[in-house]
Amino acid sequence: MPRNVAPVCDIDWARYFSLPVAVPPSGITAAERVQYAGALDVTATTPISTHGRYFKDPPAAEVRGVGAASRVLLPRHGRDLVPASRETLSAATMNERMTLLGTTAFQPAAPAPGSVSAVDAKLQDKVPTDPRALSFSPMPIPRLGVDSVEMYFETKPVPWLPATLAINQLGILDINGMPSAAVPELLLTTSKTSLGELDRLLLRSPVSGRFRFDPYYLYRWSGATTLEVIGPSSTGRLLIEQPPLSTARSVEGTHTLLFEARTFAFDHVSRADVSEFVHALLAFQLRHLEALNAAHKNEAGAEARLAIPGSSPEVMGWVVAGVSRMLRAWTAFLSVAVLRWRIEDITAAEAIPATWTATLKKGEPKASDAAALILIATQVIGSANLLESLMFFSRNVYARRLAGYSWTEVLALNGQNAARFPVPSDQPPFTANDAVAKAAKEQHQRLRLIEDPNQRWVACWAGAPLGRPAPVYASAAPGTAFPVDGVTTYELEALHAGDLAAAVFGVAAPAPASKPTAGRAGDLSAYTGKQVGHACWFTAGTIATNPLHTTTDWLLELTRGTHFTNVEEPFVDLMSLVDKADPRFRGHPLVAPLRADQHEKAVHLRRQMDAAGMEVLGIASLGWWDSKVGFTKVGTKWHHLNADGTDNDKDPSPRKPYNDDQTHPAALSGVLSFDDLIFGSPTGFDTFDIESAWLATERMRVSPDRALPLPVVLALMEREGVKQFAAINRRVRYTRTEGATLLWEALRRADIAPVARLRATYPGPDVQMAREAWLSYPYGLDHYATPNTDDGVDGRTVLPADAVIGMSEGLSGAVKAGVIALDPDESVGRYISSRVFGTFVPSPAPIGPRGTPRIWKLHRRMHWAGISLMVAYFREIEAGILGNTSAFVNGAWTRNASWVAPPPDLTGKTPADTEWKDYLSYYGMVYIGYNGGPSTWADTIKTAETAMVGSPLQYRDFLLFKHRRDRVVIGNMVRFVIGLDAFLRLRYLDNEAPQNFAAASADTTAAATRTVAKWGV
């Protein structure tokens, strides 16, 4: 399977994956692709993110109610332009408005007698749905889920077309609207005069599979517990289903979850645009059904672009089913007397063989039915009358009905306001029971199968255009981001239905007839002047094998590859749609939510480490530090004493701060003991570690916006042992079955009595025990491991006003220090405890019942959350030091202000400059508080200030090079500083263009060039 390919939208059924938006055709140059992406002006965000935030999936049944007398419902996510109340719908309330299909088959029975509006009201009263739809929302209304990508397309007055555009491709439909006999390169005609596939609004299938459109409905409360359906929306949800690709995954030998069966969704899509693409796609599949079948069977001479892979037999079956259902609906349509308003259709009906009825059966067609269906398709294509009739039906009736238009709306759009369908039971053919009437009833029922969501699927290739986002309305001037006072089309329709929209937007009250009603969407033409852009939400649905694998994970694996045991190439090259000369990474909208800039920088930071020869430079640098810090040596080890006076002698380190990024432990099955990792060969940071560090430091900040510099975070990770635990940070699996994953003993072997603990000393739930054990190692976060609950970790059990910075458990001190502000829907504790699991294993007698937890990680991205807490505590300690808060004060002593002189700017500086030393000494001073706590920091600083009287050194220099050479905390500080010295040498590529990244290199200035004049030692 091709890897790291530039995304294109050309017709290619052999393609597995694509991007959901902003995919150009292959017929433009590489430079034009970048120009296309840069001119898109599409903003993408993840409002409920797990990638740099700690959100969980919001309550599915939560909505907003607006209005007084008759409250209308709005989606949970949105901008409150009128007072709104959060409400949770009960299962009973929602079930009253839904008919769940699956165990219950769709029943297209004739509706009870009544007017057109009465029949429409009855049809919409209980909307047919299925589990796929319910997995995104329990009601047919928009829903923004966890990690859903919100995309906003600002209105652009002039369509983008480069002056050098050479593309001139005809699509599937010719100027007469008939399908082309030749297999086109593109579905849509694209040239200098026809935007076609270059339309920036196009929403595309991310996978090869099938799609359908589920319309939204508008609701209001009727009484306290009953929802009343107002009418349909002009928007809805596109669902795209990918079949399981187990054969392809086996061939690829990959651990990626991209090959799992999955359903995707675009929310807030315009139904009018979906209709256009349904018609074009079905026209293509009808015209080239025989060629598709031949290519799927790998017949000689078959068109390679039509070759649906053998690993995707379902897709070929979906092609057959889609064409068969269209033909079945068309023949039924021609058999219903009230619908034959055209002479051409009457003529076509007379030419249809009676045998087609049996071939176009009610059941689900399969790939094996292709041969019989090809015969019918060939006859239709060969008859101008039949083909014209079918194309008219597809474009004007079938595609609209599949795009969510009601029968009443379809007839009205065709100028047939006097006609009605479905026909009620008190009108022919339902008033008779003879053979003719029975045959007619069957055709009515066959046509009404269109209402079954399981009958509305249409096959598609990866990259096929499926629709466009629906409009956004706002009072303020348009901009590049979703307006703060903006509403979606659905929200405007609901406000309009509740007589609230006109006042919000300052327009004259529209006529009552413009409001939505049973079977008819509302008329929003009164608000046309307030339209400022378009918006939609893209979501990758959950999968049973790993419900934690979200949209973000899917997109990351698609554009970066999976790094489980080996580094794998991505499937799609996102950077091919980025302007590499622009430091802002201008280009494809997914660059921002996926933080592609940080990924690219991380790749080149790792490359710099590999190129720097750090084994030599690291050893030489460590030798210089060893000669300057003045520690007593016991053999090769630095001699230090623990608090109880016992020896703590260890080798100088880090010796190789730029270790290679390979995961060294070879045995990774069964139980991995604590000692296997803690005393094994360390692994260097890989791009995943560096990206996780970036996420962590961005989430924690000291007001207003200063983030902990990335080299400081890397030095912290180096010192706290993160490198030792690469195996269990990278090789994870979602399972709660011990035998199916790697287990790690969270403490040293439990036959060591002082280490073994009773189960009762851990929190009650196993997930909380696992969370405590995981935060203790490898992150060294006792501060956050100790609380027994998620709320305790979040700092919500201690009010910030009562918190002591540097002392209070959990995040309460960090919140008080201004390091973090949690959204009410965020929870760090829950984020971590839901991504780790464990069991307690008692030791054999006589140690038992004491024992050790065995823990494992369920999700890789828990790694950034663990690092973020390291950053949070470091920032909290720093804030406490700078603020001279109570925990950092030792008696009546008043510290010298030079202790907290800010770290200097290192722009243009080298490792030999004074500023470099002052930077190291500042963060080393803070690290003492991180490593030993506030009281240790205060005691160390106070005694250093006393001891240095008469010394020519600066305060922090004395601490770093002279003070208390026998203390463990000083040794730890020096090791941290040596690591920071190494990581500061990297070029972090801030405000640099991506095209320059490959030339960047680490500063290899030798430590031996540091002079007394500049460093004082």
Side-chain angles (χ1 to χ4, degrees):
M1 183 183 299
R3 295 279 191 137
N4 206 21
V5 295
V8 294
C9 62
D10 305 40
I11 296 171
D12 187 351
W13 290 84
R15 187 187 304 122
Y16 281 99
F17 305 109
S18 183
L19 296 173
V21 292
V23 182
S26 64
I28 61 176
T29 66
E32 287 172 343
R33 291 171 61 81
V34 173
Q35 185 182 359
Y36 158 84
L40 289 170
D41 287 327
V42 181
T43 303
T45 59
T46 46
I48 308 174
S49 176
T50 65
H51 192 51
R53 299 294 295 269
Y54 311 101
F55 285 108
K56 70 170 184 177
D57 204 24
E62 192 171 271
V63 296
R64 290 174 293 153
V66 296
S70 179
R71 299 197 316 282
V72 294
L73 297 191
L74 295 177
R76 179 186 189 274
H77 176 77
R79 287 75 175 167
D80 290 331
L81 304 189
V82 295
S85 59
R86 288 287 177 94
E87 303 171 4
T88 300
L89 302 176
S90 69
T93 297
M94 295 186 290
N95 290 341
E96 286 179 348
R97 301 280 75 83
M98 311 290 288
T99 298
L100 179 60
L101 303 177
T103 54
T104 301
F106 177 72
Q107 300 294 333
S115 65
V116 171
S117 60
V119 169
D120 282 336
K122 186 66 176 177
L123 289 176
Q124 71 181 23
D125 188 54
K126 288 184 74 70
V127 177
T129 189
D130 65 4
R132 291 183 190 86
L134 296 180
S135 69
F136 290 93
S137 175
M139 292 285 286
I141 61 176
R143 179 171 182 267
L144 181 77
V146 66
D147 279 342
S148 295
V149 181
E150 181 178 77
M151 291 173 284
Y152 177 72
F153 304 69
E154 74 166 303
T155 296
K156 292 179 72 71
V158 180
W160 171 85
L161 284 176
T164 58
L165 185 69
I167 190 170
N168 187 18
Q169 295 283 347
L170 294 176
I172 184 59
L173 300 175
D174 63 21
I175 58 174
N176 297 313
M178 295 297 110
S180 168
V183 178
E185 296 291 328
L186 304 173
L187 184 69
L188 309 177
T189 296
T190 306
S191 66
K192 282 189 175 181
T193 58
S194 180
L195 202 57
E197 299 279 359
L198 290 171
D199 185 347
R200 60 193 282 271
L201 295 178
L202 291 179
L203 306 178
R204 300 189 179 277
S205 177
V207 294
S208 176
R210 62 178 181 173
F211 77 100
R212 80 170 192 234
F213 182 83
D214 287 354
Y216 299 142
Y217 288 85
L218 302 162
Y219 297 89
R220 66 160 57 95
W221 285 108
S222 176
T225 60
T226 302
L227 283 181
E228 173 189 334
V229 187
I230 300 171
S233 168
S234 63
T235 65
R237 177 181 295 115
L238 271 173
L239 297 179
I240 305 106
E241 183 181 355
Q242 174 187 252
L245 302 173
S246 53
T247 302
R249 178 171 52 201
S250 177
V251 170
E252 288 290 299
T254 177
H255 290 279
T256 183
L257 295 180
L258 297 183
F259 294 108
E260 296 285 315
R262 194 188 295 256
T263 304
F264 303 82
F266 285 103
D267 269 279
H268 194 241
V269 178
S270 168
R271 64 179 183 175
D273 296 315
V274 172
S275 173
E276 170 191 346
F277 300 119
V278 166
H279 170 61
L281 285 162
L282 286 173
F284 177 91
Q285 292 167 48
L286 170 81
R287 186 63 183 81
H288 300 290
L289 179 62
E290 185 173 9
L292 283 162
N293 190 53
H296 179 62
K297 292 181 176 180
N298 200 27
E299 294 180 3
E303 173 66 61
R305 293 185 297 118
L306 302 184
I308 297 170
S311 58
S312 303
E314 298 91 343
V315 177
M316 187 64 222
W318 293 339
V319 169
V320 171
V323 173
S324 178
R325 288 193 289 255
M326 176 178 66
L327 291 169
R328 180 181 65 200
W330 170 56
T331 55
F333 176 81
L334 297 180
S335 301
V336 176
V338 297
L339 300 179
R340 290 200 301 266
W341 63 80
R342 297 192 323 137
I343 295 297
E344 296 89 341
D345 292 334
I346 295 174
T347 303
E350 294 171 349
I352 291 178
T355 55
W356 286 12
T357 299
T359 302
L360 304 172
K361 53 192 175 184
K362 283 186 180 180
E364 180 70 10
K366 300 178 176 61
S368 57
D369 297 320
L373 194 63
I374 288 170
L375 292 176
I376 296 177
T378 301
Q379 293 179 61
V380 172
I381 294 166
S383 167
N385 290 338
L386 291 179
L387 185 59
E388 187 282 334
S389 175
L390 176 57
M391 289 297 98
F392 175 87
F393 169 75
S394 172
R395 180 176 56 254
N396 296 289
V397 178
Y398 189 69
R400 284 171 172 166
R401 195 65 187 86
L402 263 60
Y405 288 85
S406 70
W407 287 110
T408 299
E409 289 174 310
V410 168
L411 291 170
L413 288 168
N414 282 284
Q416 302 300 311
N417 291 296
R420 66 181 301 181
F421 191 85
V423 176
S425 60
D426 63 345
Q427 295 183 20
F430 299 102
T431 53
N433 204 31
D434 55 27
V436 174
K438 287 181 179 179
K441 291 176 188 177
E442 181 181 3
Q443 296 294 354
H444 279 244
Q445 291 174 342
R446 288 161 77 98
L447 182 54
R448 287 198 58 207
L449 288 174
I450 299 174
E451 300 166 32
D452 182 353
N454 292 309
Q455 300 285 315
R456 297 202 301 262
W457 293 102
V458 177
C460 59
W461 62 88
L466 306 182
R468 296 183 182 91
V472 169
Y473 299 82
S475 296
T480 58
F482 198 111
V484 293
D485 64 341
V487 295
T488 62
T489 296
Y490 181 90
E491 291 172 300
L492 179 58
E493 290 171 326
L495 294 172
H496 182 41
D499 296 320
L500 300 167
V504 168
F505 288 99
V507 301
S514 66
K515 296 168 65 173
T517 187
R520 293 180 185 270
D523 177 4
L524 300 181
S525 58
Y527 306 95
T528 301
K530 302 298 181 179
Q531 183 179 325
V532 295
H534 296 76
C536 67
W537 308 326
F538 172 72
T539 307
T542 58
I543 52 177
T545 53
N546 189 340
L548 294 174
H549 197 264
T550 67
T551 308
T552 294
D553 296 292
W554 191 88
L555 289 169
L556 288 174
E557 290 187 18
L558 180 71
T559 59
R560 295 183 194 173
T562 305
H563 309 282
F564 189 79
T565 54
N566 299 301
V567 174
E568 297 181 19
E569 288 290 309
F571 291 92
V572 172
D573 180 11
L574 181 63
M575 288 298 293
S576 68
L577 294 171
V578 172
D579 184 355
K580 296 180 178 62
D582 190 337
R584 299 168 298 171
F585 275 70
R586 183 172 174 81
H588 199 280
L590 290 178
V591 163
L594 298 183
R595 302 170 189 260
D597 57 338
Q598 293 177 358
H599 172 71
E600 290 299 310
K601 291 175 182 177
V603 168
H604 288 281
L605 285 173
R606 180 63 254 176
R607 180 194 53 74
Q608 290 180 51
M609 294 184 201
D610 294 334
M614 198 55 201
E615 180 169 347
V616 175
L617 183 58
I619 294 171
S621 178
L622 183 60
W624 182 88
W625 279 100
D626 189 18
S627 70
K628 300 300 181 184
V629 293
F631 292 140
T632 300
K633 301 286 282 290
V634 178
T636 61
K637 301 180 184 298
W638 283 344
H639 175 62
H640 294 109
L641 298 175
N642 293 315
D644 61 2
T646 57
D647 291 342
N648 190 326
D649 300 339
K650 294 179 181 177
D651 286 325
S653 66
R655 187 169 180 267
K656 299 179 182 179
Y658 290 180
N659 310 66
D660 67 75
D661 61 346
Q662 298 302 306
T663 305
H664 294 297
L668 288 173
S669 59
V671 176
L672 188 65
S673 77
F674 185 89
D675 288 4
D676 290 338
L677 288 179
I678 202 68
F679 298 120
S681 298
T683 294
F685 298 134
D686 69 354
T687 56
F688 171 65
D689 292 310
I690 300 170
E691 291 170 47
S692 298
W694 241 312
L695 290 175
T697 190
E698 284 192 354
R699 187 65 186 91
M700 304 295 172
R701 74 259 179 222
V702 172
S703 299
D705 59 3
R706 186 164 65 92
L708 189 63
L710 188 62
V712 179
V713 183
L714 295 178
L716 197 60
M717 293 162 61
E718 165 79 46
R719 180 66 210 127
E720 296 302 311
V722 171
K723 286 180 176 179
Q724 296 289 150
F725 296 83
I728 51 177
N729 285 330
R730 299 173 190 173
R731 305 184 182 187
V732 301
R733 184 173 301 150
Y734 185 87
T735 176
R736 288 180 170 83
T737 303
E738 280 195 44
T741 191
L742 169 71
L743 298 171
W744 174 57
E745 293 182 348
L747 295 170
R748 296 198 67 187
R749 291 290 185 185
D751 54 0
I752 304 174
V755 173
R757 290 171 53 179
L758 293 170
R759 175 63 181 86
T761 64
Y762 289 100
D766 281 349
V767 293
Q768 295 294 344
M769 175 191 69
R771 186 260 309 158
E772 177 182 324
W774 197 280
L775 290 181
S776 298
Y777 294 99
Y779 304 104
L781 291 168
D782 298 349
H783 190 72
Y784 303 106
T786 306
N788 288 331
T789 64
D790 292 340
D791 280 346
V793 175
D794 297 339
R796 291 185 169 122
T797 56
V798 177
L799 295 176
D802 300 324
V804 177
I805 295 176
M807 297 293 290
S808 297
E809 292 179 353
L811 282 165
S812 58
V815 171
K816 185 173 184 177
V819 172
I820 184 174
L822 283 175
D823 185 278
D825 292 329
E826 283 186 288
S827 170
V828 182
R830 181 188 61 220
Y831 188 100
I832 293 173
S833 62
S834 66
R835 287 165 173 78
V836 295
F837 200 71
T839 57
F840 185 81
V841 181
S843 299
I847 304 301
R850 295 191 300 272
T852 183
R854 287 181 180 171
I855 60 176
W856 62 92
K857 188 183 291 188
L858 305 177
H859 194 261
R860 278 182 105 222
R861 283 194 292 115
M862 203 287 276
H863 190 37
W864 85 266
I867 297 171
S868 76
L869 292 181
M870 296 171 65
V871 175
Y873 189 57
F874 195 96
R875 273 306 200 201
E876 180 183 345
I877 292 294
E878 182 185 25
I881 292 170
L882 298 180
N884 203 27
T885 57
S886 60
F888 297 87
V889 175
N890 188 317
W893 162 67
T894 301
R895 70 189 183 199
N896 189 287
S898 62
W899 285 110
V900 292
D905 181 6
L906 295 185
T907 303
K909 304 301 179 182
T910 75
D913 288 323
T914 303
E915 291 83 358
W916 194 280
K917 178 258 300 178
D918 293 342
Y919 192 98
L920 296 177
S921 67
Y922 172 84
Y923 284 107
M925 178 267 299
V926 176
Y927 180 79
I928 289 177
Y930 180 93
N931 183 246
S935 61
T936 297
W937 183 90
D939 174 69
T940 303
I941 301 304
K942 180 180 180 180
T943 56
E945 191 167 319
T946 301
M948 70 171 293
V949 174
S951 172
L953 297 179
Q954 297 178 15
Y955 282 83
R956 296 200 305 248
D957 295 349
F958 184 85
L959 176 68
L960 179 58
F961 291 104
K962 296 293 183 181
H963 187 53
R964 285 187 169 178
R965 301 294 90 182
D966 62 338
R967 295 299 178 95
V968 169
V969 70
I970 297 294
N972 289 340
M973 173 196 66
V974 169
R975 289 179 170 91
F976 167 78
V977 166
I978 295 171
L980 179 56
D981 184 24
F983 292 114
L984 273 178
R985 293 173 177 267
L986 301 175
R987 186 166 148 191
Y988 285 86
L989 307 169
D990 296 329
N991 302 314
E992 294 193 41
Q995 65 187 14
N996 299 328
F997 287 3
S1001 61
D1003 188 330
T1004 56
T1005 301
T1009 64
R1010 291 165 173 163
T1011 64
V1012 174
K1014 289 189 175 182
W1015 273 64
V1017 293

